[in-house]
Amino acid sequence: MASPNPPSAALLIVDVQEDFCRPNGSLALPGGRELATPINKLLASPGFKLKLAARDFHPRNHVSFASQHEGAVAFTSETTITNPENAAESITKVYHDHCVQGTPGCEIIPEIHTARLDAIINKGTDANLESYSAFGPPFRNPRVRATRLHAMLQDAGITHVFCVGLSYNVCVLHSALDAAELGYTTFVIRDVTASRLDVEGLRATREALERGGVGVVEMGSAELEFARVDR
Ligand SMILES: [Zn+2]
């Protein structure tokens, strides 16, 4: 897979925020905070032309919060989130309140060397729209409220996108699938992600990534040699 020319690569760090990490996160994932060590190695690498972080950046009344729906239970209840330009297109799922703008839970964890980032992409900023992907809401027909991520990658001449962060099977998965769909050669560095998945869930997520044209690699993989990551 190694190409003769080094790729023009972007690192995309997804949702490594307090609310997705122990000990205080409302949706904490095991191993989330521990990702700071490998992420900082990637941030120190000279190989990435752009180093970006995405974060959930929800208003207090976000549609994905169970608290906004009478009688709803996080992870169990469903609500319908509809494409404002196409009522036929919708997604469903509700969670505990998380990553509310201006709260500590919304902050990228302080262990990450954010001074090395070129930009932070906010997503899920519209109260009525969900956005697992750093590129924007999942609606396709038409795409609505895209973030500035795709334009930033285009402006920088990026060809390759490497995704890490939280969680493997939700926001990392959807960000990577979108990147591949938009034409970038895309990889997830699996050992720099975390999730609550069991073996079967890990397998299903890997298959979903590979079906979408995303490569699943590890920190030591040949695909990362261009980045000269300090082990
Ligand atoms: Zn969210």
Side-chain angles (χ1 to χ4, degrees), residues 154-193:
Q154 294 287 292
D155 288 348
I158 296 298
T159 57
H160 289 52
V161 176
F162 289 79
C163 302
V164 300
L166 301 169
S167 67
Y168 180 47
N169 58 313
V170 185
C171 293
V172 173
L173 169 72
H174 288 280
S175 297
L177 291 175
D178 271 3
E181 185 182 326
L182 289 165
Y184 302 100
T185 301
T186 307
F187 298 93
V188 169
I189 310 173
R190 194 210 49 81
D191 54 348
V192 194
T193 69

Side-chain angles (χ1 to χ4, degrees), residues 104-144:
C106 192
E107 299 296 321
I108 291 174
I109 61 172
E111 292 85 350
I112 288 182
H113 298 157
T114 52
R116 294 186 187 270
L117 292 170
D118 295 297
I120 294 174
I121 309 293
N122 294 327
K123 64 188 179 70
T125 57
D126 185 314
N128 296 312
L129 286 173
E130 178 65 294
S131 187
Y132 295 152
S133 166
F135 290 91
F139 303 118
R140 290 289 179 274
N141 188 24
R143 279 188 185 270
V144 290

Side-chain angles (χ1 to χ4, degrees), residues 33 41 55 60 114 166 203:
R33 193 173 301 275
K41 288 180 180 174
R55 63 177 172 182
R60 193 163 289 281
T114 52
L166 301 169
R203 191 187 59 74

Side-chain angles (χ1 to χ4, degrees), residues 72-139:
V73 179
F75 297 109
T76 304
S77 303
E78 296 194 331
T79 190
T80 302
I81 303 171
T82 303
N83 187 335
E85 298 182 25
N86 177 3
E89 196 177 17
S90 64
I91 57 167
T92 55
K93 190 84 181 187
V94 295
Y95 300 94
H96 299 297
D97 292 12
H98 63 279
C99 301
V100 174
Q101 296 168 19
T103 66
C106 192
E107 299 296 321
I108 291 174
I109 61 172
E111 292 85 350
I112 288 182
H113 298 157
T114 52
R116 294 186 187 270
L117 292 170
D118 295 297
I120 294 174
I121 309 293
N122 294 327
K123 64 188 179 70
T125 57
D126 185 314
N128 296 312
L129 286 173
E130 178 65 294
S131 187
Y132 295 152
S133 166
F135 290 91
F139 303 118

